[in-house]
Amino acid sequence: EVAYSRLLQTFLRAYVFEVRNISEGKLGVDAQAALGLSKRQVDYMFGERLENIVNMLKKMLVKIEVLLLVREPTVDPIGRAGILANIILEMGPSMKQVYGPYMASYNKTREMFEEAEKQIE
């Protein structure tokens, strides 16, 4: 989860924020036109659903931080793996709520990318 969260944060900083800036015209109209996606499309692809995933991951990382910081064996009979499993089970409803809409939008997002690719070829 830590590695996934870091990767997602890097993706947001290195790619998503740049694409959002381009779609908003902050890097000029030529860049905006070359993008092949409208601001509305970019917001759909990289908007609230992606931010919800990041926020959920942050909450999960807070819960598992103790496991990351304390490397000594736990006194809990279920062990470190059991503690982690309980955290993931506890987060299950949040994961379903956050990833469900994200996955439901996948096909439409993919179609938008394919259409934009055709426009810029």
Side-chain angles (χ1 to χ4, degrees):
E1 289 301 320
V2 173
Y4 175 62
S5 180
R6 287 182 183 152
L7 181 64
L8 190 54
Q9 292 287 341
T10 300
F11 173 69
L12 286 170
R13 282 191 306 271
Y15 181 75
V16 172
F17 296 152
E18 187 74 9
V19 170
R20 283 182 180 170
N21 285 337
I22 293 169
S23 74
E24 293 169 1
K26 293 180 179 175
L27 299 177
V29 292
D30 291 339
Q32 189 177 23
L35 181 62
L37 296 166
S38 69
K39 179 184 178 328
R40 186 170 159 255
Q41 288 172 314
V42 169
D43 287 344
Y44 180 83
M45 292 180 204
F46 302 117
E48 184 179 355
R49 288 180 304 282
L50 191 56
E51 290 167 10
N52 289 343
I53 290 172
V54 170
N55 291 334
M56 184 205 58
L57 286 174
K58 286 179 183 177
K59 290 176 186 174
M60 179 180 277
L61 290 177
V62 167
K63 291 178 180 287
I64 65 172
E65 188 172 29
V66 172
L67 291 175
L68 298 172
L69 296 175
V70 180
R71 302 306 299 170
E72 295 151 10
T74 177
V75 295
D76 193 316
I78 64 174
R80 296 171 69 79
I83 293 169
L84 180 59
N86 284 341
I87 291 169
I88 292 172
L89 287 173
E90 177 187 328
M91 296 292 298
S94 295
M95 289 178 173
K96 185 177 179 181
Q97 183 179 9
V98 168
Y99 282 110
Y102 183 79
M103 293 308 297
S105 70
Y106 174 80
N107 288 337
K108 183 174 179 180
T109 297
R110 185 180 171 123
E111 288 171 12
M112 286 182 197
F113 271 122
E114 290 170 354
E115 224 17 73
E117 189 175 48
K118 288 177 190 173
Q119 291 178 20
I120 58 174
E121 287 179 345

